Amino acid sequence: MSAAEDAEWLRWVRKQFGSIAGPDKEIALEEFKTALQVKESFFAERFFALFDSDGSGTISLEELLKALSLLVHGNETDKLRFLFQVYDVDGSGSIDPDELRVVLRWCLRESAIALPEERLGDLTLALFEAADKDHSGSITFEELREELEGFPEVMENLTISAASWLKPPPPAERSRRPRYLTRAYWHNHRSKLAFLGGYASLNLLLFALAALRHAGLGGWVAVARGCGQCLNFNCAFLAVLMLRRCLTWLRATPIAKVLPLDQHVVFHQLVGYVVLALAAVHTAAHVANFSRLARQDGRHALAEYLLSARPGVGGLGGTASQTGLALQGLLAAMLAFSSPCVRRSGHFEVFYWTHLSYISVWTLLILHGPHFWKWFAVPGCLFVLEKVAGLARRRAGGLRIVEVNLLPSKVTHLVIQRPQFFHYKPGDYVYLNIPAIATYEWHPFTISSAPEQQETLWLHIRSLGQWTNKLYEYFQQPESPSPEPKPLSRSLREKRCRCRAQVSTGLGETRRLCSIKCYIDGPYGTPTRRIFTSEHAVLIGAGIGITPFASILQSIMYRYRRRKQSCPSCHYSWCEDLRDEEMTLRKVDFIWINRDQKHFEWFVSLLTKLEMEQAEQEPGGRFLEMHMYMTSALSKNDMKAIGLQMALDLLAAKEQRDSITGLRTRTQPGRPDWSKVFGKVAEEKRGKVQVFFCGSPALAKVIRAHCEHFGFRFFKENF
């Protein structure tokens, strides 16, 4: 630090000390625990004992400054000495196996990792054998330093990460040019921006032409007619944006490279807002014009113009005013009940039924506007055909859920019989309806099984809303009937009794064979269809966002098997080059980010199988690389986790498998450093990089910004 930075740091520490110290200007143990924000008291007590140099039971400002100076300004040896003292619980000057075991047990708790006692013993033994160089039965300071030299990344920033109050606030960033004005942003969003530009220009052109045509009737009439012409286009365009089958077909054509088909739901919402705004201006202009006419006429009130049919006003039988007011009310209701706060707060039925009023809206538009039918004829016919085809496929014959697995973190894994002639691509999704849960509700879920899996479809459903929670609870409840059941409960219970067996399959998982009726509508395409035409694909899934990639990874391995060749003489086997018309992939990096250990259990068996198959078919191959991150685990440079992470690394190298997931891929603690991750991807130079993400919108923004920096194409799955 410079002198100025050092002075700022001292001022900050004094301020923080004053905020946590008691009236006696001393920090007691409980105050220290609260400020340090550690999960377990062991490390707080160890740090407190080391900070309290005079053994008074409290920490003064001088003692705090001395300890912090060592951690912030100290050299590598000073920090290592502090770490050694943390692990040397009895203060004997060396670390014995029992002390190491105790510290590692608390490290596991601090990182929210649950391992059996046997694995804790293995970790202790691995670290102790590596560090006890002279086999004396204890680890000295010099031995610990020598062992840490094999982990250079740990020493780069050894600190107590949870103690954010120890660190001065970061300096204010210099104002940078907004990302929306950068060249990278325009390059990565060129199709969307071109589409928005064309959409805006077309609306302006339609408004100008209609307004000029009716300019002689007055300013209000010109505005109303201009908005009316734009409404003709936009109300018909709303239907185009929800032609899911047509859009899925278009994804397989070259036009997908030009039009932003992945954003059709976002554009549907945008056009909906535009329609409401245009309708409000259109109505206000007509009301202003009628008010002017009423004043000129002197015989008719404004209400007569608005509420009674008048020949020549417009619409079928002069009902333009009445149908217009009805349309305004319907559009306002649709917008109000389409908001996320309604859809995701357990009132999906309200959104569903109010949105069905689009039938009334289009009917009223045909009655209201004499030219709307011309705009609506083609989109309307396509929309009707899609609906008829969907209804026919849905009701042609119900399917059966043949197996249910209740996974940790309230994830429901459904195994559904696959319909005959049901063809889909990896990453596609379907709409699911289970009458036993809700008769009229259809919800979209990604297919997590590969297309090559012929007999069944897999869906993994996270319980995040009312319907998904009902689904999990439906299969979770015991089969014994409760006394005096309500009629609805009795009906659901009778259907639930069709389940034939229920067995426990492991920690937090229940497997049930059953025969529950369901319907599916689809499949529909997603951005992930582009993966197989990429050269270097980076797949990033956060939590349950792995589901589309589960299907894709399985499909990749199926294609590996299909191309496996063997020599009839020596039985040597190899895999032919995977690059063909359908798949140009040279490299796949799969990154899965989870909050805690139990979330990895969703797909760990699948990932283990993929690792084994790649090892068999491409020994030492790097075509598919997996990267696992556990965000609740403390990073390697944190003093509360360094011993644990070293032990996990050593044991993984020894056993060739990770202690957390059982995979060969080592689970990394904390969050990915995207600059390093994408920097490594760029250095490999395996072809044009495309990043596919499925997860939270907040993380999507972070990854999108890094993709723009590195010049990678970014595609996001709606989640």
Side-chain angles (χ1 to χ4, degrees):
M1 289 186 180
S2 65
E5 289 174 334
D6 193 55
E8 173 63 21
W9 177 78
L10 286 171
R11 187 194 66 77
W12 171 257
V13 170
R14 290 177 187 276
K15 178 183 176 183
Q16 293 301 92
F17 178 85
S19 68
I20 62 174
D24 57 352
K25 301 299 180 183
E26 298 276 337
I27 301 176
L29 177 59
E30 291 305 316
E31 293 165 338
F32 187 77
K33 287 180 182 179
T34 303
L36 200 58
Q37 301 173 5
V38 293
K39 297 174 185 175
E40 304 293 344
S41 60
F42 172 81
F43 285 105
E45 291 169 2
R46 293 297 302 139
F47 294 149
F48 186 86
L50 295 173
F51 278 34
D52 180 20
S53 57
D54 61 3
S56 63
T58 58
I59 302 174
S60 65
L61 176 60
E62 290 71 23
E63 288 175 323
L64 180 68
L65 287 174
K66 181 181 177 182
L68 293 184
S69 295
L70 182 145
L71 290 173
V72 176
H73 302 285
N75 57 32
E76 192 173 289
T77 302
D78 293 333
K79 293 180 181 180
L80 274 177
R81 180 73 64 182
F82 186 88
L83 174 68
F84 182 82
Q85 290 173 335
V86 170
Y87 279 56
D88 182 15
V89 179
D90 61 6
S92 63
S94 63
I95 305 170
D96 60 44
D98 291 334
E99 285 179 315
L100 187 59
R101 188 185 184 96
V102 168
V103 174
L104 290 182
R105 179 181 285 111
W106 287 104
C107 285
L108 286 169
R109 293 187 184 182
E110 193 73 29
S111 290
I113 299 173
L115 293 178
E117 279 295 313
E118 182 183 350
R119 295 303 291 169
L120 175 60
D122 293 339
L123 289 170
T124 305
L125 184 62
L127 181 55
F128 197 85
E129 287 181 345
D132 184 16
K133 308 295 183 182
D134 59 3
H135 306 288
S136 63
S138 63
I139 302 172
T140 63
F141 172 72
E142 293 301 327
E143 287 175 328
L144 179 65
R145 174 158 53 179
E146 185 179 346
E147 181 61 25
L148 279 170
E149 287 174 355
F151 299 84
E153 72 278 3
V154 170
M155 298 310 303
E156 289 178 5
N157 188 27
L158 187 61
T159 182
I160 306 174
S161 64
S164 56
W165 60 279
L166 299 177
K167 306 170 188 175
E173 292 186 8
R174 296 179 180 178
S175 57
R176 296 184 301 173
R177 186 169 48 169
R179 59 186 289 262
Y180 302 104
L181 300 179
T182 61
R183 183 178 178 182
Y185 178 85
W186 283 79
H187 176 75
N188 281 297
H189 297 81
R190 56 189 181 275
S191 61
K192 182 174 76 172
L193 294 171
F195 179 83
L196 286 173
Y199 170 74
S201 300
L202 182 57
N203 273 284
L204 289 172
L205 179 63
L206 291 172
F207 181 90
L209 292 175
L212 290 172
R213 195 180 308 121
H214 298 88
L217 300 176
W220 291 118
V221 175
V223 171
R225 295 296 186 186
C227 290
Q229 187 73 320
C230 291
L231 282 167
N232 284 335
F233 162 67
N234 282 279
C235 289
F237 191 44
L238 276 173
V240 173
L241 291 170
M242 297 313 292
L243 296 174
R244 293 190 183 92
R245 283 183 170 79
C246 293
L247 292 172
T248 298
W249 174 78
L250 284 175
R251 288 179 191 275
T253 67
I255 202 170
K257 297 180 180 179
V258 180
L259 295 179
L261 301 178
D262 303 335
Q263 306 288 327
H264 73 99
V265 175
V266 176
F267 288 133
H268 175 80
Q269 294 169 344
L270 171 66
V271 174
Y273 287 117
V274 171
V275 164
L276 190 69
L278 288 170
V281 176
H282 177 76
T283 302
H286 272 309
V287 169
N289 183 55
F290 287 150
S291 179
R292 179 182 63 83
L293 292 175
R295 287 196 303 271
Q296 289 180 354
D297 190 357
R299 292 179 299 170
H300 300 93
L302 175 61
E304 274 187 72
Y305 279 95
L306 295 176
L307 302 177
S308 59
R310 300 175 65 84
V313 170
L316 185 66
T319 58
S321 299
Q322 295 77 55
T323 53
L325 292 173
L327 282 165
Q328 190 70 41
L330 285 172
L331 290 172
M334 288 177 74
L335 178 71
F337 295 115
S338 299
S339 59
C341 62
V342 173
R343 287 187 288 117
R344 297 177 183 175
S345 62
H347 299 90
F348 181 85
E349 296 91 343
V350 177
F351 159 76
Y352 179 79
W353 289 109
T354 53
H355 233 63
L356 278 182
S357 60
Y358 66 78
I359 300 170
S360 303
V361 168
W362 285 333
T363 303
L364 288 171
L365 281 168
I366 292 171
L367 299 176
H368 178 81
H371 302 293
F372 175 70
W373 68 271
K374 300 175 185 177
W375 293 87
F376 188 65
V378 175
C381 289
L382 289 173
F383 190 84
V384 170
L385 286 173
E386 280 212 359
K387 288 295 178 183
V388 170
L391 285 170
R393 292 188 66 175
R394 292 174 192 172
R395 301 301 173 183
L399 303 174
R400 292 283 170 181
I401 301 172
V402 296
E403 184 181 322
V404 177
N405 296 296
L406 300 182
L407 305 178
S409 301
K410 298 189 74 175
V411 172
T412 309
H413 172 203
L414 301 180
V415 180
I416 304 171
Q417 67 180 99
R418 182 170 175 172
Q420 194 176 11
F421 308 118
F422 185 85
H423 303 290
Y424 66 98
K425 300 288 186 182
D428 283 1
Y429 69 97
V430 294
Y431 278 83
L432 175 68
N433 169 253
I434 304 177
I437 307 297
T439 307
Y440 299 106
E441 290 192 31
W442 292 79
H443 295 271
F445 299 106
T446 304
I447 303 171
S448 52
S449 54
E452 291 84 355
Q453 185 174 307
Q454 296 297 327
E455 296 183 356
T456 57
L457 298 172
W458 289 0
L459 300 178
H460 283 76
I461 301 170
R462 178 89 182 273
S463 299
L464 291 174
Q466 188 182 47
W467 189 91
T468 52
N469 276 307
K470 277 184 182 178
L471 176 71
Y472 189 87
E473 292 164 5
Y474 175 79
F475 291 108
Q476 189 182 42
Q477 297 206 8
E479 307 205 273
S480 57
S482 60
E484 299 181 9
K486 296 179 181 179
L488 177 59
S489 301
R490 188 185 304 118
S491 173
L492 293 178
R493 191 169 288 106
E494 287 171 0
K495 293 179 181 179
R496 193 154 53 238
C497 285
R498 295 178 189 174
C499 294
R500 297 194 295 268
Q502 178 177 340
V503 293
S504 176
T505 59
L507 181 62
E509 181 175 341
T510 302
R511 176 170 171 262
R512 174 181 287 185
L513 302 177
C514 60
S515 180
I516 305 295
K517 195 169 187 178
C518 69
Y519 301 96
I520 62 172
D521 177 25
Y524 298 112
T526 63
T528 52
R529 283 196 171 193
R530 291 193 176 100
I531 287 174
F532 288 93
T533 57
S534 307
E535 293 178 331
H536 189 164
V538 180
L539 317 181
I540 305 173
I544 199 65
I546 188 183
T547 47
F549 305 132
S551 173
I552 290 158
L553 293 173
Q554 289 177 86
S555 187
I556 288 173
M557 299 318 293
Y558 271 115
R559 297 182 190 207
Y560 255 99
R561 273 191 236 114
R562 200 165 61 231
R563 289 164 174 77
K564 188 174 181 181
Q565 304 290 325
S566 60
C567 175
S569 302
C570 64
H571 303 291
Y572 173 75
S573 62
W574 71 94
C575 226
E576 287 187 341
D577 190 359
L578 282 174
R579 299 187 64 194
D580 57 22
E581 301 173 349
E582 297 181 354
M583 189 165 81
T584 59
L585 280 171
R586 299 178 188 171
K587 177 73 185 298
V588 177
D589 280 288
F590 170 63
I591 302 171
W592 190 15
I593 308 163
N594 272 314
R595 183 185 298 110
D596 51 45
Q597 182 182 1
K598 62 183 178 180
H599 287 79
F600 286 104
E601 296 175 19
W602 298 338
F603 288 98
V604 73
S605 58
L606 167 64
L607 298 178
T608 302
K609 184 179 177 183
L610 293 176
E611 281 189 332
M612 291 174 64
E613 288 187 0
Q614 179 168 238
E616 285 177 16
Q617 299 172 13
E618 192 189 13
R622 310 296 291 176
F623 172 75
L624 172 61
E625 280 195 60
M626 298 185 188
H627 312 269
M628 307 294 159
Y629 290 89
M630 181 174 161
T631 57
S632 68
L634 298 176
S635 63
K636 290 183 178 181
N637 54 26
D638 192 302
M639 287 191 180
K640 301 190 300 300
I642 180 173
L644 172 63
Q645 295 303 329
M646 287 170 58
L648 287 169
D649 281 345
L650 291 166
L651 196 58
K654 179 181 178 181
E655 298 181 347
Q656 293 298 303
R657 72 184 183 96
D658 182 54
S659 296
I660 297 174
T661 62
L663 298 170
R664 296 185 181 186
T665 303
R666 169 78 166 90
T667 302
Q668 299 300 320
R671 302 178 185 278
D673 184 334
W674 295 112
S675 296
K676 290 184 178 178
V677 171
F678 289 152
K680 181 183 175 185
V681 169
E683 288 173 3
E684 291 182 4
K685 297 181 180 178
R686 299 293 291 271
K688 189 175 181 181
V689 178
Q690 293 187 327
V691 178
F692 300 85
F693 173 75
C694 186
S696 68
L699 183 56
K701 289 182 180 179
V702 174
I703 296 174
R704 186 193 297 272
H706 281 86
C707 287
E708 290 171 5
H709 174 73
F710 283 92
F712 301 161
R713 291 292 304 276
F714 176 81
F715 301 97
K716 177 184 177 297
E717 181 108 1
N718 290 324
F719 183 61

